[in-house]
């Protein structure tokens, strides 16, 4: 009664997965998906030795998604009404060469018409994530060395932000100001 929306990546010498879960629960506040999840395998083939972000073993095949839960974006908004939390879109994750894990997601409170972009990051060697909504917004994440690049749309125009891995100090490198405007 559930499926995943995300990506499997081979990075940092391991197979990793970051996803959101689409759960067939028609009674909760989520309209489609809920949760941000992450797991990795210490087995280079990915066949065994799967762990959550805390390094705790998880069940394979992954039938208990909650074992890989990082956080619930719906906790960042106030609505409790049925089908009023929307987290589809705006999700991505990446890992720096040093091992800093970064995730972005978007949550919409359809009752109160509030949208929040969430940046969660765990510096290499840390045991817990840091969460913030104080950054440029959501988009696609890319890594080069120990830098993370966030590429997306702001006001319908392309932008590129950079942050050093393991931090939230985003700086804008590029913001399109003329030409075509896009929906997104």
């Amino acid at each position: 009664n559930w499926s995943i929306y995300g990506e499997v990546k081979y990075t940092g010498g391991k197979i990793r997965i970051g996803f959101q879960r689409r759960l067939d629960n028609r009674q909760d506040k989520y309209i489609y998906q809920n949760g941000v999840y992450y797991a990795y395998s210490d087995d280079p083939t990915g066949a065994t030795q799967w762990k959550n972000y805390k390094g705790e073993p998880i069940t394979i095949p992954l039938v208990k998604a909650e074992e890989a839960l990082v956080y619930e974006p719906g906790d960042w908004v106030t609505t409790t009404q049925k089908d009023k939390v929307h987290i589809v879109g705006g999700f991505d994750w990446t890992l720096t060469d040093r091992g800093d894990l970064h995730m972005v997601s978007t949550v919409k409170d359809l009752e109160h018409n509030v949208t929040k972009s969430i940046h969660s990051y765990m510096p290499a060697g840390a045991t817990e994530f840091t969460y913030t909504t104080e950054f440029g917004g959501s988009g696609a994440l890319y890594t080069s060395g120990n830098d993370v690049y966030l590429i997306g749309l702001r006001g319908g125009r392309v932008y590129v932000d950079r942050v050093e891995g393991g931090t939230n100090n985003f700086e804008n490198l590029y913001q399109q100001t003329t030409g075509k405007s896009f929906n997104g």
Side-chain angles (χ1 to χ4, degrees):
N1 69 354
W2 65 276
S3 60
I4 62 174
Y5 291 81
E7 293 183 274
V8 175
K9 300 178 184 181
Y10 185 83
T11 183
K14 299 178 189 282
I15 295 175
R16 303 167 189 272
I17 184 170
F19 63 94
Q20 293 178 324
R21 176 176 67 168
R22 182 163 287 189
L23 183 64
D24 187 21
N25 179 352
R26 310 256 191 239
Q27 303 308 312
D28 66 8
K29 65 183 180 176
Y30 302 94
I31 191 166
Y32 300 116
Q33 291 160 208
N34 71 314
V36 169
Y37 301 81
Y38 171 82
Y40 66 92
S41 175
D42 281 333
D43 175 354
T45 70
T48 63
Q49 301 178 40
W50 281 87
K51 298 177 180 173
N52 63 19
Y53 77 91
K54 297 177 184 179
E56 302 166 337
I58 61 174
T59 307
I60 295 299
L62 184 58
V63 294
K64 299 176 187 173
E66 49 280 341
E67 291 180 348
L69 181 67
V70 175
Y71 71 96
E72 185 57 73
D75 292 346
W76 290 79
V77 294
T78 59
T79 188
T80 58
Q81 298 294 311
K82 181 181 176 304
D83 293 339
K84 294 296 181 182
V85 174
H86 182 275
I87 67 168
V88 177
F91 172 74
D92 201 6
W93 66 275
T94 195
L95 186 81
T96 66
D97 288 353
R98 181 176 43 232
D100 308 304
L101 181 58
H102 287 256
M103 297 178 158
V104 291
S105 62
T106 301
V107 60
K108 297 177 185 176
D109 180 330
L110 301 175
E111 178 185 6
H112 300 106
N113 195 28
V114 172
T115 300
K116 293 185 178 183
S117 296
I118 303 167
H119 174 224
S120 52
Y121 58 98
M122 190 168 70
T127 57
E128 291 296 328
F129 276 86
T130 299
Y131 306 94
T132 184
T133 57
E134 302 301 320
F135 77 109
S138 63
L141 291 175
Y142 299 92
T143 305
S144 178
N146 291 318
D147 289 333
V148 175
Y149 295 86
L150 176 63
I151 301 173
L153 296 176
R154 205 176 274 137
R157 308 240 186 227
V158 175
Y159 74 92
V160 179
D161 287 353
R162 185 196 72 78
V163 67
E164 180 183 349
T167 73
N168 189 54
N169 302 320
F170 280 92
E171 66 175 313
N172 181 254
L173 300 179
Y174 174 77
Q175 174 68 59
Q176 179 188 8
T177 57
T178 61
K180 292 190 182 241
S181 181
F182 302 91
N183 290 333

